[in-house]
Amino acid sequence: MPISRKQRSADSKPQVAAGTLQQAAAIRAWLEITTTRTKALNVRYVRKLAEAARHVTDPDGCATPQLAQELQRIERAYSFTPKARRLFQNFLGSLGIDSSYSIQVPADDRPYWMRTDHPLTHYRSRPELPSRADVVVVGAGLTGASAAYHLSEAARNQDLRVVVVDKGAPASEASGRNGGNFELLPENSVGIYEGLARERFSFLRRCYPAVPIEILRTESERQASVVLGFALRNRDRLKHIIEQENIDCDFSPKGWLYLAHTEREEQAICEEVMFAAEQGQRIELWSRMKIRNEFGFRRDYIGRFIPGDGSYHPFNYVYGVFESALRSGVELYTGFKVCQITSSNEDSHSVVTDAGTIVARRVIVATNAFTHQIFPELGAMRPAESQIAVTEFAPDRCRGRIVTSEEGPVYFNQPRAGARNGLAPLLLGGGSDRPIANPSSRRRSAKIHSKLLLLREKFYPELKNRPFSTEWVGSCAYTPDQLPAVGFLRPGIIVAAGYNGYGGSYTCAAGQAAAMMALTGQTPEWVPQDVFSPKRLLGKTPLFMDETDSLWRIAASLCAQLRAVNRQISDAISFSGTTAARFSAAGHSVPPPDHTQSTPTSTVNPELLRALPAFSDFTLSESQALLSMMCRWDLPKGTLLFSHGSPGRSCFIVLSGAVNVSMQVRGQEQLLATLPAGSIFGQVALIEGCPRTTTCTIHKDAILLEVDREPCERLFASRSVTALKFLAALNQGLISALRGADRQLMRLTIENRVPWSADAAV
């Protein structure tokens, strides 16, 4: 049956307007009577005092000036047992009263979001756990709720049985223990933020040190764009669901301010504004004065403000989403722990719980930090712990916006539901998330607690002596490349987890993607599997190096980079004062070869091809297959192979000899490189089908192998191992060319001249 969405405070009590001196005096008299026979107030006395004092707070639960004065007097005048002092200080924090003592970790560790009712605790749609289902969703947090919601239409219209199981109540783990933020740019960095694309590059370089840096740079730009698109879809979908279902979850899309704290970060966020503009997103740069006027923070550096981001009540959101899904026929069973998932075939999977087994056609695993407990092979998805504290009745500077900075790092917001008379609760998290072995841990760190106090003092100095009302920890899941895992782990088993502390940026869209995969068996195009698949966590080789489509995309990007660098070299030569005499001419005396002069490659020993570095990992049969696509050229020194601007739909491999590569600048040919045996050139024309970008002549009698675009397209369409290896070889040649061009450009920049370089490659 549908759940109730009444959102009552779990600890609310009748309160009466107070503040008179007589009421404060009554508390003093009661305390003096009850403490005549004790040397120190114990926990029992503090609880009785708290119960008495709560009835004389103002209607919002804040202490009146008279009550605050009396409670502060009590703190100074009486001694306490250690536990009682901690409890008393926690009580002061809940009323917004400063303390005279150093601020301890509060006794209350309940998350701010869990102050509401828990109507789905021990919820069971039917008395018994079903034995069969079409789709089982494991996990009832933000992702599981989204998956259930996006499956609910099929459950209603197609008689699809969708079952959600969770070992606890919905949103009782990470989803109810987070910061309540949703952000367009999941930064993922700790230290100096370099911008989304650079952060992607940094993580990829750390994960895959053996992959050429040029490929990582290309892939990082693409991944930054993919991540931005994913997060944008997430934000739009989150807003749509809240509005469509009329979910009361304190939704506040008032914006997100990121504060730079170094010059490098200033530069990074300036670049990010341009990057976002290319994706059609508006990001604002805020000056120091703008930040001071809007928030009252005095900063040494600028900030980045993204309209449309903000905060929400994740716990209430999850309950509202489940209310809608349950109305549509989705079944929910809480209090059932999933122990393992086994597969008989791609359409039959056994979800084994501690109270029975469900056999399902599809399974969505949305367990975030607990995923490795079900799938040990995903141990690379490691759990970590974040820590967040609440300060009651703080100056309402955020006004519905969120603030983050890598200084700390720190993030904070002030929920609108608690805002009154210019005051609002301040939710502040900070310090690096700590790796943990047990994602169910509730252990709070005294070190992080101290860090939170220092961070709060930096932005809210007037709260220096204010105790926290509550402070809690929540588990999150980190992946090595700092991207979520969304995709098929094996046929019929879908994983959606690993948000690296940015669940608000991913979970709604991740649940939608998982639902689409369960219904269609296909991954949406906006969830490229070489980026998001959980299978990438199973090995050391990145998936974007194991997929033909990915390598072809990388090749196209490398071609574009190479053309851009060559244009820069041409411009640099043109505007330098260097004369043509300082460069070796690339003239020729033998006319271009006619295609009728080529010979079959049957005369080429496959071992000669395998002896070249780019083809050393080809098997004999793969080398033979590759040679069958090619033709052979035996060309004498001085032969013009092709000239700049001529049509081109092929590339060449230097089997022996050497080839000069030149570029026409100011009407004269300027030598760029001499390519030795083993080199591959002409890939730009092959991949893009465009005219030749350079001129090539034979420097020393050579044997060349030529492969045309048509057989290459057939090979790549086969997606065979040979195709993958050949694409990788083409990319390696492009990387060598790009590095050579970069060296030439660097020398031009430094020396304002272009020296001849026999080891450069183009």
Side-chain angles (χ1 to χ4, degrees):
M1 59 182 293
I3 66 172
S4 170
R5 266 194 306 183
K6 293 180 180 179
Q7 298 175 3
R8 302 179 298 272
S9 173
D11 61 351
S12 61
K13 297 181 180 180
Q15 296 173 347
V16 296
T20 64
L21 292 174
Q22 291 80 2
Q23 288 168 322
I27 291 175
R28 178 183 300 187
W30 171 84
L31 186 64
E32 289 175 349
I33 293 172
T34 57
T35 58
T36 55
R37 291 173 294 181
T38 184
K39 295 181 179 180
L41 293 178
N42 59 27
V43 169
R44 184 169 65 88
Y45 284 124
V46 171
R47 285 175 177 165
K48 287 185 176 181
L49 176 61
E51 184 177 353
R54 282 194 184 279
H55 290 285
V56 292
T57 59
D58 71 14
D60 294 324
C62 183
T64 60
Q66 294 85 357
L67 177 60
Q69 183 178 12
E70 179 59 22
L71 291 177
Q72 287 174 326
R73 185 197 69 81
I74 291 171
E75 184 185 42
R76 294 189 301 270
Y78 290 88
S79 61
F80 295 78
T81 66
K83 289 185 179 180
R85 181 169 296 286
R86 183 184 181 198
L87 186 63
F88 186 81
Q89 192 178 72
N90 197 165
F91 173 57
L92 293 180
S94 68
L95 297 178
I97 302 173
D98 290 351
S99 172
S100 302
Y101 294 87
S102 60
I103 298 173
Q104 302 180 57
V105 177
D108 190 352
D109 65 353
R110 180 179 46 170
Y112 176 85
W113 313 118
M114 295 187 184
R115 294 178 177 178
T116 56
D117 290 344
H118 294 57
L120 295 180
T121 301
H122 306 302
Y123 186 94
R124 299 183 180 184
S125 293
R126 302 186 184 188
E128 300 294 331
L129 195 68
S131 60
R132 289 194 170 274
D134 293 294
V135 183
V136 170
V137 180
V138 182
L142 286 163
T143 307
S146 174
Y149 179 84
H150 288 99
L151 288 166
S152 61
E153 183 177 355
R156 182 174 58 248
N157 299 332
Q158 301 176 22
D159 195 27
L160 194 77
R161 190 168 193 182
V162 179
V163 172
V164 182
V165 294
D166 196 294
K167 68 175 184 177
S172 59
E173 285 296 341
S175 298
R177 294 177 167 274
N178 61 35
N181 305 326
F182 59 93
E183 300 147 324
L184 186 60
L185 298 177
E187 299 154 333
N188 297 119
S189 68
V190 175
I192 303 297
Y193 181 54
E194 301 273 7
L196 189 57
R198 290 188 184 181
E199 293 303 322
R200 288 282 85 236
F201 174 69
S202 175
F203 286 117
L204 290 177
R205 192 173 184 184
R206 186 160 62 243
C207 291
Y208 309 114
V211 176
I213 195 170
E214 291 81 4
I215 288 182
L216 295 182
R217 188 172 289 115
T218 294
E219 183 63 18
S220 65
E221 291 287 345
R222 175 204 173 221
Q223 288 192 8
S225 179
V226 167
V227 167
L228 181 61
F230 197 107
L232 177 61
R233 174 183 290 271
N234 182 86
R235 189 177 70 178
D236 291 346
R237 193 64 187 155
L238 177 72
K239 180 179 180 181
H240 172 80
I241 292 173
I242 291 172
E243 293 178 348
Q244 178 77 18
E245 303 301 331
N246 192 29
I247 299 174
D248 183 7
C249 61
D250 202 13
F251 184 58
S252 178
K254 300 294 182 65
W256 166 30
L257 176 64
Y258 176 84
L259 300 170
H261 74 289
T262 67
E263 290 184 1
R264 283 173 58 188
E265 282 195 311
E266 278 194 330
Q267 180 62 34
I269 63 177
C270 288
E271 293 174 1
E272 199 148 61
V273 168
M274 294 184 289
F275 172 74
E278 293 172 358
Q279 310 296 319
Q281 298 304 305
R282 181 169 67 92
I283 296 181
E284 302 172 6
L285 289 178
W286 279 21
S287 67
R288 293 174 296 172
M289 180 178 292
K290 174 77 170 177
I291 294 170
R292 185 168 65 251
N293 290 341
E294 288 288 332
F295 286 87
F297 304 149
R298 295 188 176 275
R299 304 292 296 177
D300 295 326
Y301 302 96
I302 65 173
R304 175 199 67 200
F305 185 79
I306 303 182
D309 283 0
S311 63
Y312 70 125
H313 195 302
F315 194 85
N316 287 346
Y317 167 77
V318 167
Y319 275 78
V321 170
F322 269 120
E323 179 185 18
S324 174
L326 291 171
R327 282 199 306 264
S328 297
V330 171
E331 298 176 35
L332 175 65
Y333 298 87
T334 61
F336 292 95
K337 180 181 179 181
V338 173
C339 305
Q340 64 175 337
I341 299 173
T342 60
S343 302
S344 301
N345 56 59
E346 63 181 34
D347 290 319
S348 180
H349 311 279
S350 296
V351 180
V352 182
T353 78
D354 54 4
T357 298
I358 311 174
V359 178
R361 293 181 59 251
R362 300 286 183 267
V363 179
I364 297 173
V365 179
T367 49
N368 207 35
F370 297 86
T371 304
H372 72 287
Q373 295 181 349
I374 299 175
F375 299 121
E377 63 267 36
L378 294 179
M381 193 186 301
R382 61 177 179 82
E385 197 168 60
S386 61
Q387 192 159 322
I388 304 171
V390 177
T391 306
E392 305 290 348
F393 308 107
D396 187 14
R397 293 183 183 152
C398 290
R399 303 198 304 279
R401 299 163 293 188
I402 59 174
V403 179
T404 65
S405 174
E406 289 305 332
E407 183 180 13
V410 64
Y411 55 91
F412 52 91
N413 64 61
Q414 297 185 265
R416 298 297 80 206
R420 300 286 190 281
N421 304 316
L423 302 176
L426 172 66
L427 275 68
L428 184 143
S432 300
D433 293 339
R434 308 185 309 281
I436 54 174
N438 179 14
S440 298
S441 170
R442 298 290 186 260
R443 179 183 57 83
R444 295 172 295 177
S445 164
K447 182 178 179 181
I448 298 297
H449 168 79
S450 298
K451 185 83 168 180
L452 293 177
L453 290 172
L454 290 174
L455 289 168
R456 186 185 65 177
E457 184 178 350
K458 184 181 292 291
F459 295 97
Y460 293 79
E462 65 271 49
L463 298 177
K464 180 178 180 180
N465 298 315
R466 182 77 52 84
F468 294 137
S469 63
T470 183
E471 187 172 346
W472 71 91
V473 294
S475 61
C476 47
Y478 277 80
T479 58
D481 59 4
Q482 302 285 273
L483 287 178
V486 183
F488 287 98
L489 180 62
R490 56 179 183 259
I493 303 293
I494 302 153
V495 171
Y499 303 112
N500 304 283
Y502 284 87
S505 299
Y506 291 121
T507 50
C508 187
Q512 180 187 24
M516 294 171 69
M517 293 178 207
L519 293 173
T520 67
Q522 304 293 322
T523 56
E525 62 179 11
W526 47 274
V527 191
Q529 288 301 278
D530 63 330
V531 177
F532 292 112
S533 172
K535 294 179 182 178
R536 76 184 194 277
L537 305 177
L538 303 180
K540 295 183 179 180
T541 302
L543 292 186
F544 57 80
M545 294 293 289
D546 270 349
E547 297 288 339
T548 303
D549 291 345
S550 300
L551 286 177
W552 182 264
R553 184 192 61 254
I554 290 170
S557 179
L558 291 171
C559 287
Q561 292 180 54
L562 183 59
R563 283 190 284 103
V565 175
N566 280 341
R567 283 196 300 269
Q568 289 178 286
I569 290 174
S570 177
D571 292 342
I573 295 173
S574 296
F575 290 105
S576 70
T578 313
T579 62
R582 300 190 62 176
F583 303 97
S584 177
H588 57 86
S589 57
V590 181
D594 185 272
H595 271 275
T596 59
Q597 300 172 1
S598 66
T599 58
T601 53
S602 57
T603 59
V604 178
N605 185 343
E607 293 294 347
L608 293 177
L609 184 64
R610 295 180 65 202
L612 303 178
F615 301 93
S616 60
D617 64 341
F618 280 62
T619 65
L620 184 61
S621 60
E622 289 168 345
S623 298
Q624 289 171 333
L626 203 57
L627 284 170
S628 68
M629 300 166 41
M630 302 177 178
C631 62
R632 169 176 174 165
W633 294 95
D634 292 78
L635 302 174
K637 177 180 179 178
T639 302
L640 172 65
L641 186 61
F642 55 75
S643 58
H644 176 272
S646 61
R649 292 176 58 84
S650 65
C651 75
F652 296 85
I653 302 165
V654 183
L655 199 60
S656 65
V659 177
N660 282 340
V661 181
S662 62
M663 174 189 298
Q664 191 173 78
V665 182
R666 291 188 294 173
Q668 297 187 23
E669 291 291 336
Q670 309 292 331
L671 182 65
L672 295 177
T674 296
L675 307 181
S679 301
I680 305 174
F681 64 98
Q683 298 98 312
V684 175
L686 172 74
I687 293 169
E688 298 186 341
C690 62
R692 301 291 185 184
T693 58
T694 57
T695 297
C696 287
T697 59
I698 303 304
H699 176 68
K700 184 168 64 174
D701 292 354
I703 300 176
L704 306 181
L705 301 176
E706 181 182 20
V707 57
D708 285 327
R709 185 181 178 92
E710 288 76 10
C712 276
E713 289 177 340
R714 290 193 296 270
L715 175 64
F716 298 148
S718 72
R719 299 177 181 272
S720 64
V721 175
T722 304
L724 195 65
K725 288 183 177 181
F726 186 50
L727 253 179
L730 292 180
N731 280 344
Q732 190 57 54
L734 283 167
I735 290 168
S736 296
L738 187 58
R739 287 176 177 173
D742 282 338
R743 285 196 297 269
Q744 291 281 27
L745 186 60
M746 186 180 298
R747 288 168 180 161
L748 265 176
T749 303
I750 296 173
E751 303 174 12
N752 196 31
R753 61 187 178 89
V754 181
W756 180 81
S757 175
D759 65 339
V762 176

